[in-house]
Amino acid sequence: QLQLVESGGGLVQPGGSLRLSCATSGFTLDYYAIGWFRQAPGKEREGVSCISASGGSTNYVDSVKGRFTISRDNAKNTVYLQMNSLAPEDTAVYYCAADRPNSSSYCRMGDRGYEYWGQGTRVTVSS
């Protein structure tokens, strides 16, 4: 059974850091691009970052560039999202999702095409 399980969310003060993990099972992570998405209360879900199957390509939404870093460890079947300099506007439920595009060097920021999703982990940035 294919699963993605997010962890690492929590309450953090502005300027703090969190590292989210997306643990996968039931499929070969090597063949999949992984995206991180978030949904804040009352807002639409948005793509935050993605990493290609090869790991060689990454993308970030402008609002997190320079603060967030996505990485993957296929041996551990896990993808990470390191979040630094967190701000209240980063408060949201964060989801990871898996996509198998035609190219191992590509990942998409839009949520269309992502077949498998985790249940989400909540991040709250507040003093």
Side-chain angles (χ1 to χ4, degrees), residues 61-123:
V61 68
D62 285 347
S63 61
V64 308
K65 285 179 180 177
R67 300 189 298 124
F68 291 11
T69 303
I70 192 170
S71 62
R72 62 192 294 154
D73 185 342
N74 289 350
K76 294 183 177 180
N77 296 316
T78 303
V79 176
Y80 304 98
L81 185 68
Q82 178 67 44
M83 307 188 297
N84 298 329
S85 302
L86 284 161
E89 50 266 35
D90 296 314
T91 295
V93 177
Y94 285 71
Y95 302 88
C96 62
D99 174 33
R100 190 167 181 177
N102 292 330
S103 170
S104 64
S105 300
Y106 172 75
C107 68
R108 67 185 96 227
M109 289 290 283
D111 57 7
R112 285 189 177 184
Y114 282 89
E115 295 182 75
Y116 310 107
W117 291 79
Q119 83 291 345
T121 186
R122 185 175 300 276
V123 172

Side-chain angles (χ1 to χ4, degrees), residues 20-61:
L20 304 185
S21 297
C22 174
T24 70
S25 61
F27 64 102
T28 304
L29 181 61
D30 305 49
Y31 301 137
Y32 285 79
I34 299 294
W36 281 99
F37 299 84
R38 65 186 179 186
Q39 188 164 22
K43 295 188 176 181
E44 292 188 356
R45 185 167 61 193
E46 70 168 343
V48 175
S49 181
C50 68
I51 186 166
S52 63
S54 69
S57 295
T58 58
N59 291 305
Y60 299 90
V61 68

